[in-house]
Amino acid sequence: MFKSNNVTARLFERQICTSAPGTSIHRARRFYENIVPSYTIYDVECPDHSFRKFTDDGLYLVSFSRNHQDLVVYRPTWLTFSCKEEDCDTHDLPLKARKFESFFTQLYSVTLASSGELICKDFFLYMESNQFGLFATSTAQIHDAPPTGGAIQGVPSVEKITFHLLRLEDGAILDERVFHNDYVNLAHSIGAFLYDDLLAIVSLRYQRIHILQIRDSGDLVDVRAIGEFCREDDELFLNSNSQVLVNHVGNGFHHSLPESETSFLSGIKQRLLSFIFRGIWNEETDQTMVSRNADSHPSFFAVYNMETTEIVAFYQNSADELYFLFELFSDHFHVSSKSSLHMNFMSSHSNNIHALEQLRCTKNKATNFSQFVKKMMASLPFSCQSQSPSPYFDQSLFRFDEKLISAIDRHRQSTDHPIKFISRRQPNILKFKMKPGPEAGSTDGRTKKICSFLFHPILPLALSVQQTLFLQASVVNIHFRR
């Protein structure tokens, strides 16, 4: 049914019409067709910070100082100003209203980095139920570090990596966890995953997965480490049986076995190799077979059950079966905390027909299906909290060019042309547009520019940040509904 573009008419319709069971939230989200960012303030006067993102509940805007030492947190507000003219819409905003402080109030600034560490500006996880924020600082990488203490050859080493748990309401540091001479991929929070109160941190250098629990008190408590050992009592059992003696009764000699003979594979590696071997032995399908092709960068996916310590499935990145699971059940690859209701409305090709049509169109255009599968699988596993829950990325409401902008938290190549958001319900109607960078465009078209977009999860409010690769000052625009 056609819905009016008048907000008052839609509100009246909502009063007199009852939504179908289970559709009330979807119906409420359709109001964003009428409430869109309609005005842009270009090149806003703002602090020289690195803006990270809004929290998923919209209460905080997280940013870092340009020297990567301090965390600066803002509270989003809304622009208010008075106008004495008859037609205020035709007048420009007052100068005060065109400043960053008119939209955001600084709550506090906290120094996180110390002793040669720097804040990782791409790392931030948010625990919505307690309004806790997890941040990371680290020293510089050492690329030629020797693989001592069971470390993996060829993996860089970082002298000190610190995870900081803060209460975002007041900036109080509740707990810290330090990793020494280790390597965790902090870029875009790839090396950590948060689900409700459980935090998983992946040590690439020592091939361990550290599972921690975030208590309501703000304490980080060790639960287990999966790597050398899988069960909680594995280490105790192995230590109690580590001394293997060979007793030669005839000559009375007691020889200890050489260390190389008493060493074991790590628990997780032993389970994985056993799973692969049993698959080959039982002549299972290609989902377990490892193909010998000329691919210079093969990768594999293993599904591991932490409770039973079993490998459930194993796939190569070109496996058709894994791709079809990804196409049909994409939402299962985006694991979000149970408390984040609004995160369940992010568009994917398993819950949105428009996203599915776009994926299948790309698949049909692919000349090599195997390469297409590898390209799709390159996005797995998805990083935690890597997508914006903003309704303006709902593909049931709006159509936009995903090469220029999308819900995924990544920098994009900047363009001097506005990015258009077209109505899905009325395919020829432009609902709003956003232009990063200066209002008149860049004077130097040869300079490579990148931009990032920070959408508020609820309000018709967004930041576009355009920057060059030569550490020049960023151009920040504010897009909002006037």
Side-chain angles (χ1 to χ4, degrees):
M1 185 191 341
F2 179 79
K3 304 295 182 182
S4 172
N5 286 325
N6 185 282
V7 176
T8 304
R10 296 191 71 164
L11 288 172
F12 180 73
E13 181 190 22
R14 187 175 65 175
Q15 284 184 308
I16 62 176
C17 298
T18 303
S19 301
T23 65
S24 59
I25 297 180
H26 289 280
R27 186 179 182 185
R29 285 171 64 87
R30 294 196 189 108
F31 277 81
Y32 284 99
E33 292 179 323
N34 300 72
I35 305 174
V36 298
S38 59
Y39 192 85
T40 298
I41 301 177
Y42 291 93
D43 203 359
V44 177
E45 289 184 34
C46 66
D48 187 19
H49 293 336
S50 175
F51 295 102
R52 179 65 184 94
K53 66 181 298 185
F54 289 97
T55 54
D56 292 337
D57 54 13
L59 294 178
Y60 307 99
L61 172 64
V62 173
S63 67
F64 305 111
S65 61
R66 188 61 67 179
N67 61 3
H68 298 167
Q69 297 289 315
D70 305 321
L71 163 70
V72 185
V73 174
Y74 294 89
R75 172 63 53 83
T77 54
W78 198 251
L79 178 65
T80 57
F81 66 95
S82 60
C83 177
K84 299 180 180 179
E85 305 294 335
E86 293 183 0
D87 188 4
C88 295
D89 292 338
T90 61
H91 292 270
D92 291 334
L93 296 176
L95 293 178
K96 184 179 180 181
R98 302 177 68 87
K99 295 185 178 182
F100 183 83
E101 292 77 13
S102 298
F103 293 85
F104 302 95
T105 301
Q106 180 175 325
L107 297 181
Y108 53 82
S109 176
V110 177
T111 299
L112 292 183
S114 61
S115 304
E117 290 182 283
L118 296 175
I119 294 176
C120 176
K121 63 183 181 65
D122 292 329
F123 186 94
F124 168 59
L125 296 178
Y126 180 54
M127 190 174 182
E128 187 174 339
S129 57
N130 297 93
Q131 294 184 8
F132 294 160
L134 186 72
F135 303 90
T137 59
S138 69
T139 56
Q141 292 185 18
I142 304 173
H143 292 279
D144 55 351
T148 57
I152 299 299
Q153 177 73 36
V155 177
S157 177
V158 178
E159 182 181 353
K160 184 181 180 183
I161 303 172
T162 308
F163 292 92
H164 310 261
L165 184 68
L166 274 75
R167 185 171 55 229
L168 290 185
E169 181 182 7
D170 55 8
I173 299 177
L174 304 176
D175 203 353
E176 294 180 343
R177 182 56 50 92
V178 180
F179 293 82
H180 292 285
N181 302 315
D182 207 334
Y183 182 75
V184 178
N185 192 348
L186 299 176
H188 302 289
S189 308
I190 292 176
F193 201 97
L194 179 64
Y195 180 76
D196 288 337
D197 62 348
L198 289 181
L199 173 67
I201 300 176
V202 180
S203 164
L204 293 178
R205 183 167 170 79
Y206 295 100
Q207 299 291 286
R208 297 187 193 123
I209 304 174
H210 299 271
I211 308 296
L212 297 88
Q213 184 183 30
I214 302 177
R215 298 285 178 84
D216 291 341
S217 59
D219 297 313
L220 291 170
V221 180
D222 290 314
V223 176
R224 70 179 67 172
I226 303 171
E228 298 99 323
F229 315 109
C230 295
R231 298 186 185 276
E232 296 179 0
D233 59 348
D234 281 354
E235 185 175 10
L236 176 64
F237 175 80
L238 291 176
N239 287 338
S240 64
N241 294 274
S242 60
Q243 298 298 325
V244 181
L245 300 178
V246 179
N247 185 7
H248 297 276
V249 178
N251 52 26
F253 291 152
H254 297 267
H255 297 288
S256 296
L257 291 177
E259 183 179 352
S260 61
E261 296 183 22
T262 59
S263 61
F264 293 91
L265 292 172
S266 67
I268 188 70
K269 185 180 294 185
Q270 175 65 44
R271 281 161 173 75
L272 180 58
L273 293 177
S274 298
F275 183 88
I276 297 173
F277 174 78
R278 289 198 305 269
I280 298 174
W281 183 265
N282 296 329
E283 296 182 351
E284 291 184 354
T285 60
D286 290 340
Q287 70 164 13
T288 308
M289 300 293 287
V290 180
S291 63
R292 295 179 176 88
N293 56 27
D295 192 347
S296 59
H297 299 286
S299 61
F300 306 91
F301 299 91
V303 182
Y304 176 75
N305 188 321
M306 289 196 305
E307 299 300 324
T308 64
T309 73
E310 295 178 342
I311 300 293
V312 178
F314 180 74
Y315 302 96
Q316 193 167 355
N317 65 334
S318 58
D320 295 355
E321 181 180 355
L322 179 60
Y323 168 76
F324 291 125
L325 289 173
F326 172 72
E327 181 178 304
L328 295 174
F329 306 104
S330 177
D331 289 347
H332 291 72
F333 292 85
H334 290 277
V335 181
S336 60
S337 297
K338 291 176 287 187
S339 59
S340 299
L341 176 63
H342 55 271
M343 298 295 287
N344 298 327
F345 295 95
M346 293 185 298
S347 297
S348 72
H349 41 262
S350 60
N351 67 25
N352 187 282
I353 186 61
H354 305 288
L356 179 60
E357 288 178 354
Q358 186 174 358
L359 175 68
R360 290 180 173 173
C361 180
T362 304
K363 181 174 67 173
N364 294 334
K365 291 180 180 179
T367 57
N368 187 313
F369 183 71
S370 178
Q371 292 298 325
F372 167 78
V373 170
K374 291 180 182 179
K375 183 179 179 180
M376 292 295 104
M377 296 302 100
S379 61
L380 298 179
F382 290 120
S383 301
C384 182
Q385 300 179 8
S386 61
Q387 288 187 289
S388 169
S390 169
Y392 300 109
F393 292 121
D394 188 339
Q395 296 193 41
S396 297
L397 302 178
F398 303 100
R399 176 170 54 88
F400 46 86
D401 188 349
E402 289 202 83
K403 295 179 181 178
L404 301 177
I405 192 171
S406 75
I408 300 176
D409 179 22
R410 289 292 188 273
H411 293 293
R412 301 293 175 125
Q413 184 174 350
S414 186
T415 174
D416 291 333
H417 304 288
I419 300 173
K420 299 178 180 180
F421 287 74
I422 310 297
S423 172
R424 282 286 186 188
R425 184 168 52 86
Q426 300 169 279
N428 298 322
I429 300 298
L430 172 66
K431 302 303 293 186
F432 69 99
K433 56 186 177 181
M434 300 175 60
K435 181 182 180 302
E439 183 174 8
S442 175
T443 57
D444 185 4
R446 298 170 298 177
T447 304
K448 185 175 182 180
K449 301 176 289 294
I450 58 175
C451 64
S452 57
F453 296 90
L454 286 70
F455 276 72
H456 193 278
I458 302 169
L459 301 175
L461 174 67
L463 297 179
S464 62
V465 182
Q466 185 189 74
Q467 54 193 3
T468 65
L469 302 182
F470 300 102
L471 300 180
Q472 298 177 1
S474 301
V475 177
V476 179
N477 299 337
I478 297 181
H479 313 269
F480 69 105
R481 177 178 174 82
R482 180 174 171 176

